[in-house]
Amino acid sequence: MTKSRTNSLDFLSGLELMIDSYQGKEQIFGVNPNPAILRLSCEEGCVKVIEMARRLGVTADTVRFYTRIKILKPGKNKANGYREYSEKDYNRLRFVLSARQLGFSVEDIQEILNHADKKKSPCPTVRRLIDQRLNETEQRFAETLQLRERMQQAVVEWSQKPDKVPTGHMICHLIEEFSQ
Amino acid sequence: MTKSRTNSLDFLSGLELMIDSYQGKEQIFGVNPNPAILRLSCEEGCVKVIEMARRLGVTADTVRFYTRIKILKPGKNKANGYREYSEKDYNRLRFVLSARQLGFSVEDIQEILNHADKKKSPCPTVRRLIDQRLNETEQRFAETLQLRERMQQAVVEWSQKPDKVPTGHMICHLIEEFSQ
DNA sequence: CTTACACCTGTGTCCAAGACACAGGTCAAG
DNA sequence: CTTGACCTGTGTCTTGGACACAGGTGTAAG
């Protein structure tokens, strides 16, 4: 139950509130196979998109995005069509955000969730994917490092050089004479 | 949030800007200083898209892309509609590729070229833009560095941990117990 | 009751720099 | 004549949302 709640702040107190108020219905909500009762508890425990977003420190657009691509599957209030995000959606979204922080793509996350939804361990997939993504990140890191150095050197070199008007075969001498 | 892979830095990969590795037959591009003769010689000296691409070490799609957005303005062979890239286009594209290597966006480059085309010095613009882009690159660099460290630490930590099957409130303990 | 306003819905489009696909035209060799 | 390599312009795809839009809903104030 105790989580790494290190990376987010005030919406986590909201989380505790929500989980606590939900405590008494745990049997009904997650475990009880009767969908009628499940829906019943939703009326009290579920939240709308903005509240969901606020609790996890993202925008409503982000919540809608993950809903659109069916990572989140909130119910719908029959009366007005509003989405109803449950604790399960909350946990799922929190998971998604954690995974994104670790460099997983949304597609990766879908794959991971597919395993978990089938009650299979997603861990082997997770290990495979992070190796892959880490390689790419190393690659990107090296490229960004090089680009940064190149740009820094350009700024230094150019500070010694004058402005010039373009000629027939030279558009900008700063850029074109920069060797590296 | 982590913008990870989406920061297309791909243009940096592998290409050392192999511009003048071509020593071939026609000495026309890059050697003849007289633009009038060059323009005149277009019927003979101009090249088609693939040859242009080859000379600068990029794909034909890249040449077409810059043509499409009107950074390159090759003529058209009236007989068959084929594009005819002149030495001016060659110089322009070489400039574009150099500028891309320094982190300028295509939009930046259009702005720079607009100045140059009006015979104004693009240098003040260039200096302003590189400051801006360098800032962004520093930012991206810091983010990539952090992401990389986070991922590396995850791999290390996870190597000590077992696989687990998901439970009601835990999708993947590796990801969800990872604190940082 | 009306009105204002904040919230909600789904859908479509945008971003960057090309890469890729596609339908159709051109050209030289065999 | 056919094959195959090349050419054309245009449209769509990529990421992870952000933003726009048209229209419906809920609520408090006047």
Side-chain angles (χ1 to χ4, degrees):
Chain A
M1 169 94 195
T2 42
K3 286 278 115 54
S4 63
R5 42 195 56 185
T6 53
N7 51 353
S8 306
L9 313 161
D10 58 271
F11 59 86
L12 282 170
S13 59
L15 157 63
E16 278 183 55
L17 217 87
M18 176 177 153
I19 289 179
D20 286 350
S21 70
Y22 161 90
Q23 207 68 302
K25 295 157 193 152
E26 195 162 86
Q27 304 286 38
I28 299 171
F29 202 92
V31 182
N32 194 308
N34 185 329
I37 297 181
L38 196 147
R39 221 170 288 124
L40 188 74
S41 76
C42 214
E43 281 152 26
E44 293 153 36
C46 289
V47 297
K48 282 177 276 190
V49 63
I50 278 219
E51 177 61 13
M52 182 71 167
R54 198 193 56 74
R55 289 192 186 183
L56 285 164
V58 296
T59 68
D61 270 321
T62 299
V63 177
R64 287 210 191 88
F65 171 69
Y66 288 113
T67 306
R68 203 202 296 223
I69 65 174
K70 299 190 168 71
I71 277 187
L72 303 181
K73 293 153 191 159
K76 254 186 165 183
N77 183 320
K78 258 93 185 185
N80 56 19
Y82 287 14
R83 292 299 198 167
E84 295 179 326
Y85 292 90
S86 68
E87 196 217 3
K88 196 183 142 214
D89 294 310
Y90 175 88
N91 286 334
R92 242 173 135 78
L93 182 52
R94 193 186 45 194
F95 172 78
V96 168
L97 298 176
S98 301
R100 296 277 306 123
Q101 288 270 344
L102 280 166
F104 293 99
S105 72
V106 170
E107 205 180 343
D108 293 343
I109 293 168
Q110 277 171 323
E111 189 181 344
I112 294 165
L113 286 171
N114 277 346
H115 281 274
D117 287 346
K118 290 181 204 149
K119 320 280 188 198
K120 289 182 185 172
S121 174
C123 299
T125 300
V126 166
R127 294 180 204 274
R128 173 175 54 77
L129 287 173
I130 200 159
D131 282 354
Q132 201 174 310
R133 297 307 177 200
L134 178 52
N135 273 339
E136 297 167 8
T137 300
E138 298 277 15
Q139 180 81 27
R140 250 172 359 90
F141 173 74
E143 285 165 8
T144 308
L145 178 59
Q146 268 191 39
L147 175 61
R148 170 174 167 261
E149 281 169 0
R150 212 178 302 135
M151 294 177 82
Q152 286 173 338
Q153 204 194 323
V155 169
V156 170
E157 279 189 26
W158 295 353
S159 67
Q160 315 283 354
K161 289 184 152 200
D163 292 356
K164 281 192 188 171
V165 169
T167 71
H169 41 59
M170 185 79 87
I171 293 164
C172 173
H173 75 119
L174 299 176
I175 290 172
E176 287 171 85
E177 285 170 3
F178 183 75
S179 55
Q180 183 186 333
Chain B
M1 178 142 299
T2 42
K3 281 209 153 189
S4 42
R5 271 168 309 288
T6 59
N7 295 329
S8 153
L9 242 42
D10 302 346
F11 63 91
L12 294 165
S13 60
L15 65 102
E16 284 284 310
L17 223 49
M18 39 188 295
I19 287 175
D20 270 335
S21 56
Y22 177 77
Q23 306 280 28
K25 42 198 175 185
E26 318 167 47
Q27 297 276 5
I28 294 170
F29 286 9
V31 177
N32 194 316
N34 188 329
I37 293 180
L38 281 164
R39 213 165 288 126
L40 224 91
S41 74
C42 207
E43 285 138 29
E44 298 144 37
C46 287
V47 297
K48 283 177 276 190
V49 63
I50 279 219
E51 176 62 13
M52 181 71 168
R54 198 191 57 72
R55 289 192 186 183
L56 285 164
V58 296
T59 68
D61 271 322
T62 299
V63 176
R64 286 210 191 87
F65 171 69
Y66 288 113
T67 306
R68 202 198 303 221
I69 65 174
K70 300 191 168 71
I71 277 187
L72 302 181
K73 293 154 192 160
K76 255 185 165 183
N77 182 321
K78 258 93 183 184
N80 57 19
Y82 286 14
R83 294 298 199 169
E84 295 178 326
Y85 293 89
S86 67
E87 195 218 2
K88 196 183 142 211
D89 295 310
Y90 175 87
N91 286 334
R92 239 172 136 80
L93 181 52
R94 193 187 47 194
F95 173 78
V96 168
L97 298 175
S98 301
R100 296 278 305 123
Q101 288 263 356
L102 279 167
F104 293 99
S105 72
V106 170
E107 206 180 340
D108 292 344
I109 294 168
Q110 278 172 321
E111 188 180 344
I112 294 165
L113 285 172
N114 276 346
H115 281 274
D117 288 345
K118 290 181 204 149
K119 321 281 188 195
K120 290 182 186 173
S121 173
C123 299
T125 301
V126 165
R127 294 180 205 274
R128 173 175 54 78
L129 287 172
I130 201 160
D131 282 352
Q132 201 175 311
R133 296 306 175 201
L134 178 52
N135 273 340
E136 296 166 11
T137 300
E138 298 277 16
Q139 180 83 26
R140 258 208 345 268
F141 173 74
E143 283 165 11
T144 309
L145 177 60
Q146 268 191 39
L147 174 63
R148 171 174 167 260
E149 280 170 0
R150 214 178 300 136
M151 294 177 82
Q152 285 172 338
Q153 204 194 323
V155 169
V156 170
E157 279 188 25
W158 295 353
S159 68
Q160 313 282 358
K161 288 184 153 201
D163 291 357
K164 281 192 188 171
V165 168
T167 71
H169 41 60
M170 186 79 87
I171 293 166
C172 174
H173 75 120
L174 298 177
I175 289 172
E176 287 171 84
E177 285 169 2
F178 183 75
S179 54
Q180 184 187 331

